[in-house]
Amino acid sequence: MDPIAELITSYFELNSSTIDELDDDGTEPSPLEFMRYVARNTPFVVRRGAASWPAMKTWSVPFLRDTLAEHVVNVAVTPNGYADAPTAGPDGEVIFAKPWEEDQAFPEFLDYVVQQEKCQLGSSAETRYAQTRETTLETAPMHRYLLTTTSLENDNLRHEYASVFSHVHKDIPFARIALQRSPEAINLWIGNSHSVTAMHRDNYENIYVQVLGQKHFVLLPPLCQPCVNEQSLKQYNYARTDGSFQLVEETLEADNQGQTENDNTVPFAVWDPDRPTESQTTYSALAEPMRVTLNPGDMLYLPAMWCVFLALGHI
Amino acid sequence: MDPIAELITSYFELNSSTIDELDDDGTEPSPLEFMRYVARNTPFVVRRGAASWPAMKTWSVPFLRDTLAEHVVNVAVTPNGYADAPTAGPDGEVIFAKPWEEDQAFPEFLDYVVQQEKCQLGSSAETRYAQTRETTLETAPMHRYLLTTTSLENDNLRHEYASVFSHVHKDIPFARIALQRSPEAINLWIGNSHSVTAMHRDNYENIYVQVLGQKHFVLLPPLCQPCVNEQSLKQYNYARTDGSFQLVEETLEADNQGQTENDNTVPFAVWDPDRPTESQTTYSALAEPMRVTLNPGDMLYLPAMWCVFLALGHI
């Protein structure tokens, strides 16, 4: 048997493809319990683990609209909800499509997201998603020493959305004590069910907390790398012109010696576990994706280097 | 740059090649501190961490000789101290040499080891080493899920040497609490400075405690696998005939269908970090071996899948 196939098969024989759920009563793990999951590089969910956070009571569409009435936010806009994702390019080949980014007044952005969810905009309407720029597209092989780097992805919550930051906890004590550091970043993501994040992975530990709505996660362990069909994709940007979108190939930038990079491609997974027979590799069928849906107050530990594919549910 | 070379180089840029030494006062780590090392797959030493074990006071050559006077032990015998090691075979090619094994009265075995150390036997004398049979020669790639399996290698101490077992701790509390299990095995190894263990690795966590004498460890992290020049070696056994040793090729055993296995080779590392320019691969020079010498009372955490090369010092 092919040793890679054997490795993947024996992994799924020995490990459940159902995510561990810690106690039902919302009790967070101790630092030692958390560290056991970090050591095993295994995700878990704590249902209602963040139920006591002020944001669970205070945050709502009207509250956020009022509190952030004067804020301008960076919004990623795509015609179809797929930002930073493999997409059919102008010539029919698969390319990597980056969203059109623009600054919008927060109330305008939020109203759009809500109206689209209520089907008031028609099916061809663009998708808007507030996020920080994804500057790191990590595709490096698993470096275990990077496990010492932890993160809660938090730049935009401490900056763009600072006025609502006090309603979420500044750190997660069990993670801070176990990993001996505060989160490097805390991010807030706002979108509707039209937003989908293509498969990607981060080289740091993540803890997600759902505040409003639902989020559907599909997770694959790092050794499923041969299943996800990573390819070198040319980078394109969506450009909004005359109300419609065009994909424009990213121009190569000259460095300070006047030299132009000769490659604008990024390595990216093109296999989608929800369409398992398309774009598959000989290993894709061996993968057993772990699926979990987060509801308000739920907390998810997502280990470094796991492949994540996610979709937002209704808000 | 070759991605494997890049991976190994960046590992050693980010990680010290000096072993972590915990507090000098013999204080063991807490379960959480230990689990951080397990998660980072990083060894550490606790100098004098086992200094309070009764064995540190009671064990000596005369004590062991008296206590085990009626015991018969399994002894691995080689002409040169290299058991389970790559060796020049009868035809000049590198083969894998397994020791001659025989049962000896413990006092006879111990006297031999001590006399050889005192140079009373001449330089051509055989080397004797008491150990349990090495039935698992692990060369699988790193399976992180195997980290949930822990061990202190303990069959022979609970069986062959049961009468001295009460002088060593039955488990290591910080490891038992962190890993949620008692050791699978506790082994006692007795030899002299002529004994060397060729590079190998185990797929479970190990904690070594030095009671008498010294042991010199050379350690390499799992990603140095491309440095160690693993080759398929034919297995030979030392056979003692007329007082001298001969290497005899291992015969293939027929299974219960009468089929004979067609391969008596084992994959084994032939690169020796102490002779770095011999049998090297293109990656060997990138490895930065971690060296540590254990003295009586010292405790070493050796993570799963690290490559270990070790030599005994004087007893």
Side-chain angles (χ1 to χ4, degrees):
Chain A
M1 194 176 179
D2 175 347
I4 293 175
E6 202 171 345
L7 188 65
I8 295 169
T9 304
S10 67
Y11 176 86
F12 288 111
E13 278 168 11
L14 291 165
N15 291 273
S16 168
S17 59
T18 307
I19 195 165
D20 277 12
E21 298 206 5
L22 306 193
D23 281 350
D24 231 352
D25 61 357
T27 307
E28 295 178 3
S30 71
L32 176 58
E33 285 169 319
F34 173 62
M35 209 61 201
R36 288 188 192 120
Y37 279 93
V38 175
R40 287 164 45 212
N41 195 242
T42 302
F44 63 81
V45 67
V46 189
R47 296 289 179 199
R48 314 281 306 142
S52 66
W53 289 21
M56 302 301 157
K57 283 192 181 142
T58 59
W59 287 14
S60 64
V61 169
F63 169 84
L64 292 173
R65 200 183 188 290
D66 288 353
T67 312
L68 298 167
E70 306 303 320
H71 273 67
V72 169
V73 292
N74 181 267
V75 178
V77 189
T78 57
N80 55 14
Y82 286 83
D84 295 319
T87 304
D91 303 329
E93 86 284 28
V94 179
I95 56 92
F96 183 76
K98 296 178 172 182
W100 169 255
E101 291 187 36
E102 63 185 35
D103 288 342
Q104 296 181 355
F106 184 80
E108 180 203 337
F109 158 71
L110 194 61
D111 290 347
Y112 185 94
V113 165
V114 172
Q115 283 167 30
Q116 187 180 38
E117 191 63 36
K118 291 179 178 164
C119 302
Q120 294 169 347
L121 297 174
S123 62
S124 65
E126 68 194 37
T127 301
R128 300 182 187 179
Y129 189 50
Q131 60 177 6
T132 46
R133 268 178 208 84
E134 291 259 308
T135 52
T136 51
L137 182 67
E138 291 295 339
T139 53
M142 180 168 68
H143 294 201
R144 294 201 54 198
Y145 48 90
L146 288 172
L147 282 175
T148 52
T149 307
T150 179
S151 169
L152 276 137
E153 288 195 4
N154 67 14
D155 292 302
N156 80 1
L157 201 47
R158 287 201 275 227
H159 302 117
E160 284 184 271
Y161 299 91
S163 55
V164 296
F165 182 42
S166 61
H167 295 223
V168 304
H169 288 181
K170 284 196 184 65
D171 71 13
I172 311 265
F174 67 78
R176 185 195 65 232
I177 294 166
L179 301 171
Q180 295 181 291
R181 52 193 302 168
S182 293
E184 280 184 6
I186 307 174
N187 276 357
L188 173 62
W189 312 93
I190 300 180
N192 60 25
S193 64
H194 297 261
S195 296
V196 170
T197 300
M199 194 183 292
H200 69 288
R201 49 188 193 165
D202 297 323
N203 66 347
Y204 38 76
E205 316 296 340
N206 274 301
I207 292 172
Y208 285 92
V209 169
Q210 189 75 19
V211 179
L212 292 168
Q214 285 191 322
K215 202 166 201 168
H216 308 293
F217 286 79
V218 180
L219 307 177
L220 283 173
L223 58 58
C224 282
Q225 176 71 4
C227 308
V228 302
N229 200 4
E230 194 170 283
Q231 296 187 1
S232 283
L233 302 181
K234 275 193 191 166
Q235 300 183 70
Y236 279 68
N237 289 289
Y238 279 114
R240 191 207 290 274
T241 47
D242 307 331
S244 72
F245 285 96
Q246 279 193 307
L247 280 167
V248 179
E249 187 167 350
E250 190 155 284
T251 50
L252 298 171
E253 282 175 29
D255 65 18
N256 55 13
Q257 272 89 44
Q259 297 290 308
T260 304
E261 292 178 51
N262 57 11
D263 184 11
N264 83 338
T265 66
V266 283
F268 207 85
V270 301
W271 182 62
D272 177 346
D274 286 333
R275 296 174 174 189
T277 58
E278 295 173 23
S279 303
Q280 59 185 330
T281 71
T282 52
Y283 304 110
S284 301
L286 302 174
E288 296 179 21
M290 187 182 271
R291 291 165 199 278
V292 61
T293 295
L294 294 196
N295 293 305
D298 291 348
M299 186 181 265
L300 170 70
Y301 164 58
L302 181 60
M305 303 315 288
W306 275 59
C307 302
V308 187
F309 182 90
L310 50 86
L312 287 170
H314 303 279
I315 62 166
Chain B
M1 193 176 177
D2 175 345
I4 294 176
E6 202 170 345
L7 187 66
I8 296 169
T9 304
S10 66
Y11 177 86
F12 287 111
E13 277 167 13
L14 290 165
N15 292 273
S16 167
S17 59
T18 308
I19 195 165
D20 278 12
E21 297 207 4
L22 305 192
D23 282 349
D24 232 353
D25 61 356
T27 308
E28 296 178 4
S30 71
L32 176 58
E33 286 169 317
F34 173 61
M35 210 59 201
R36 287 188 193 119
Y37 280 92
V38 174
R40 287 164 46 213
N41 197 243
T42 302
F44 64 81
V45 67
V46 190
R47 296 288 178 201
R48 313 284 303 145
S52 66
W53 289 22
M56 302 301 157
K57 283 193 182 141
T58 59
W59 287 15
S60 64
V61 169
F63 169 84
L64 292 173
R65 200 183 188 290
D66 288 351
T67 312
L68 298 167
E70 305 302 319
H71 273 66
V72 170
V73 291
N74 182 268
V75 178
V77 189
T78 57
N80 55 14
Y82 286 82
D84 295 319
T87 303
D91 303 329
E93 86 283 26
V94 178
I95 56 92
F96 183 76
K98 296 179 172 181
W100 169 255
E101 292 187 34
E102 63 185 34
D103 289 341
Q104 295 182 354
F106 184 81
E108 180 202 338
F109 158 72
L110 193 63
D111 290 347
Y112 185 94
V113 165
V114 172
Q115 284 168 29
Q116 187 179 37
E117 191 62 36
K118 292 181 180 162
C119 301
Q120 295 169 347
L121 296 175
S123 62
S124 64
E126 67 193 37
T127 301
R128 300 182 187 180
Y129 190 49
Q131 60 177 6
T132 47
R133 268 177 207 84
E134 290 261 308
T135 52
T136 51
L137 181 67
E138 292 296 338
T139 52
M142 181 169 64
H143 293 202
R144 296 199 54 199
Y145 49 87
L146 286 173
L147 282 174
T148 53
T149 306
T150 179
S151 172
L152 276 135
E153 290 196 0
N154 66 15
D155 294 302
N156 79 1
L157 202 46
R158 287 201 275 227
H159 301 117
E160 283 183 273
Y161 298 90
S163 55
V164 295
F165 182 41
S166 60
H167 296 224
V168 304
H169 288 182
K170 285 196 184 63
D171 70 14
I172 311 265
F174 68 78
R176 184 194 66 232
I177 294 165
L179 302 171
Q180 296 181 291
R181 53 192 303 168
S182 293
E184 280 184 5
I186 307 174
N187 276 358
L188 172 62
W189 312 93
I190 299 179
N192 60 26
S193 64
H194 296 260
S195 296
V196 170
T197 300
M199 194 185 290
H200 69 288
R201 50 190 195 164
D202 297 323
N203 65 347
Y204 37 76
E205 316 295 341
N206 274 301
I207 292 173
Y208 286 91
V209 169
Q210 190 76 20
V211 180
L212 291 168
Q214 285 191 323
K215 203 166 200 166
H216 307 293
F217 286 79
V218 181
L219 308 176
L220 283 173
L223 58 58
C224 282
Q225 177 71 6
C227 309
V228 302
N229 200 4
E230 194 171 284
Q231 296 187 0
S232 285
L233 302 182
K234 274 193 193 166
Q235 300 183 71
Y236 280 68
N237 288 290
Y238 279 114
R240 190 206 290 273
T241 47
D242 306 331
S244 72
F245 286 97
Q246 278 193 305
L247 280 167
V248 179
E249 187 167 353
E250 192 154 283
T251 50
L252 299 170
E253 282 174 29
D255 65 19
N256 55 15
Q257 272 89 43
Q259 297 290 310
T260 303
E261 291 178 52
N262 55 12
D263 184 11
N264 83 340
T265 65
V266 282
F268 207 85
V270 301
W271 182 62
D272 177 347
D274 286 333
R275 297 173 173 187
T277 59
E278 295 173 24
S279 304
Q280 60 184 329
T281 72
T282 52
Y283 304 110
S284 301
L286 302 173
E288 296 178 22
M290 187 180 271
R291 291 166 199 277
V292 60
T293 295
L294 295 195
N295 293 306
D298 291 348
M299 187 183 265
L300 169 70
Y301 165 57
L302 179 61
M305 303 315 290
W306 275 60
C307 301
V308 187
F309 183 90
L310 49 86
L312 287 170
H314 302 279
I315 63 167

